[in-house]
């Protein structure tokens, strides 16, 4: 896990980085990094919208 960040903190960091091209890809990356219960932490509509917006902004 990256620098002891929470699942949501790491998701936001990844979304801003432009390293993931979708929320699904972001979730998969979090699982590979060892985060548990990713689906529970990133389930709501508000967090999904925020992640989509950040991914789109990062990827131009």
């Amino acid at each position: 896990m990256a620098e002891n960040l929470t699942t949501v903190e790491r998701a936001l960091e990844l979304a801003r980085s432009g390293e993931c091209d979708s929320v699904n890809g972001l979730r998969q990356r979090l699982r590979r990094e060892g985060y548990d219960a990713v689906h529970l932490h990133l389930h709501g509509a508000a967090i999904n919208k925020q992640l989509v917006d950040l991914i789109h902004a990062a990827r131009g």
Side-chain angles (χ1 to χ4, degrees), residues 1-15 17 19-20 22-43 47-48 51 55:
M1 293 194 296
E3 306 164 14
N4 296 322
L5 298 174
T6 68
T7 303
V8 172
E9 289 170 335
R10 181 63 177 143
L12 294 170
E13 182 178 77
L14 285 171
S17 75
E19 295 179 34
C20 299
S22 68
V23 174
N24 189 46
L26 190 146
R27 287 182 182 139
Q28 291 173 1
R29 170 85 178 259
L30 289 168
R31 285 187 204 101
R32 283 194 306 271
E33 291 184 3
Y35 286 90
D36 294 325
V38 171
H39 62 286
L40 295 176
H41 293 282
L42 304 180
H43 178 69
I47 187 68
N48 274 292
L51 292 171
I55 289 168

